Amino acid sequence: MTSPRLSTVVVAWRSGRDTAELVERFPVDPRFELVVVDNGGQEELAPRPGLTLVRPGRNLGFAAGSNAGARAARGDLLLFLNPDARPEGDPFSALVAGFEARPEAAGLVPRLAGEDGAEQSRWQLRPLPGPLALLAHAFFWNPTRGPRREPAPGCAIEQPAAAALALRRGEFEAVGGFDEAYWPAWFEDVDLARRLADRRRPLLYHPDARFRHRVGSSLPALGYGAFLVAYDRNLRRYLARHHAPLWAALFTALVPVGALARLLALPLRKPRRAESRAAAARALLELARQGLRRFPEPAESAG
């Protein structure tokens, strides 16, 4: 059997309709393979040519799920794609052509646009964050943003979001894939980009490959409180791994301060990810408590 040129890896967790729609829109073409990793809650998918379904039996998280999908995939080019992304035109052929034209690239970064067509470069195409910028997250502020205007094709992108990221398999495996300790999600793509940058392996913007994308579609299933704890725990891990240990310790000390400050501001502004002010208050109090005793290690499974 001839191997596909490009394998698309989709990690699905409680995203049944999104995943089913993506599968429906995926081309039936022997050059392209779709690997869906069912981390839980996925509706049954109808068999079709080019589709491989991986069922680990538990929620591996995004990093471990992506690694499992990469191991099951047969292509030498890997596209990691969120289930809420939709291809525009033929981005898969565009990626294959892009890798052929840019042999120096470890990876290519497709163009993401919202459902309204607005490009997402401010969210998607960011520089790698420094320690001071990461400390700001304790106060619910992320100062690290991508360019206000979409960059030119071929521009190097330091930290692209893994919502749509194509990599050469050899480069992905050379850095050990995603770090599975970033569970269930967040900062695994930052960490991967940092390790590629340390090896001086460029990630280049390739807007010929286009997808429509809804940001944050998995958050409602997770819940605001679980999101806060996981996000801050993984941020602390990134700081400890890539910067001096003092930065991680300082972030841990600032988390309860920031959570209580955000709690005081609740009457003025409800966090957009929280379903209500009451839910946000409970989550912020729990975050402060967790921060005071350090963040717990993640459980093996979220069910």
Side-chain angles (χ1 to χ4, degrees), residues 4-282:
R5 297 294 310 279
L6 180 142
S7 296
T8 297
V9 176
V10 175
V11 177
W13 180 68
R14 300 184 184 181
S15 56
R17 276 186 288 180
D18 275 336
T19 306
E21 186 177 340
L22 176 57
V23 170
E24 183 180 340
R25 296 193 185 188
F26 196 83
V28 177
D29 186 321
R31 297 176 300 159
F32 309 128
E33 173 188 35
L34 177 60
V35 179
V36 174
V37 181
D38 179 7
N39 266 354
Q42 177 59 49
E43 300 171 6
E44 202 64 37
L45 295 173
R48 55 170 288 171
L51 172 64
T52 298
L53 185 60
V54 178
R55 292 188 184 275
R58 61 190 178 95
N59 184 6
L60 299 178
F62 178 82
S66 295
N67 290 345
R71 289 191 296 269
R74 295 180 294 122
D76 287 332
L77 302 175
L78 301 171
L79 169 63
F80 298 98
L81 191 66
N82 275 10
D84 58 356
R86 300 290 176 268
E88 285 195 303
D90 184 3
F92 311 103
S93 294
L95 286 169
V96 170
F99 277 111
E100 291 174 348
R102 305 301 297 260
E104 77 281 13
L108 296 177
V109 184
R111 183 185 192 271
L112 291 182
E115 293 177 304
D116 60 355
E119 52 92 13
Q120 296 180 345
S121 58
R122 292 281 283 169
W123 169 83
Q124 179 198 9
L125 312 175
R126 302 184 186 189
L128 283 164
L132 285 175
L134 291 168
L135 288 185
H137 288 242
F139 296 94
F140 300 84
W141 176 42
N142 181 4
T144 307
R145 290 285 186 270
R148 291 186 180 276
R149 295 183 179 179
E150 185 179 0
C155 281
I157 306 298
E158 287 188 351
Q159 192 261 294
L165 176 60
L167 297 169
R168 298 185 191 274
R169 179 187 288 276
E171 300 286 353
F172 180 70
E173 293 177 348
V175 296
F178 288 104
D179 183 345
E180 298 180 5
Y182 291 95
W183 189 93
W186 298 287
F187 283 92
E188 70 288 315
D189 51 355
V190 189
D191 174 82
L192 181 72
R194 174 62 186 261
R195 285 182 280 129
L196 286 167
D198 289 345
R199 285 170 48 87
R200 300 185 184 279
R201 307 305 297 151
L203 303 171
L204 305 181
Y205 188 49
H206 191 63
D208 286 351
R210 295 171 176 256
F211 293 88
R212 292 289 179 104
H213 174 241
R214 289 192 296 114
V215 178
S217 63
S218 63
L219 283 177
L222 183 65
Y224 184 60
F227 159 71
L228 289 180
V229 172
Y231 187 91
D232 285 1
R233 179 185 59 234
N234 290 351
L235 190 157
R236 179 170 59 89
R237 176 177 178 81
Y238 178 86
L239 273 172
R241 179 172 186 177
H242 296 291
H243 299 284
L246 176 63
W247 291 108
L250 183 55
F251 176 77
T252 301
L254 290 174
V255 163
V257 179
L260 293 174
R262 186 68 184 86
L263 182 66
L264 292 174
L266 269 183
L268 301 176
R269 183 183 178 190
K270 179 185 77 67
R272 62 182 176 85
R273 292 186 173 96
E275 61 182 20
S276 66
R277 282 184 168 82
R282 291 191 296 270

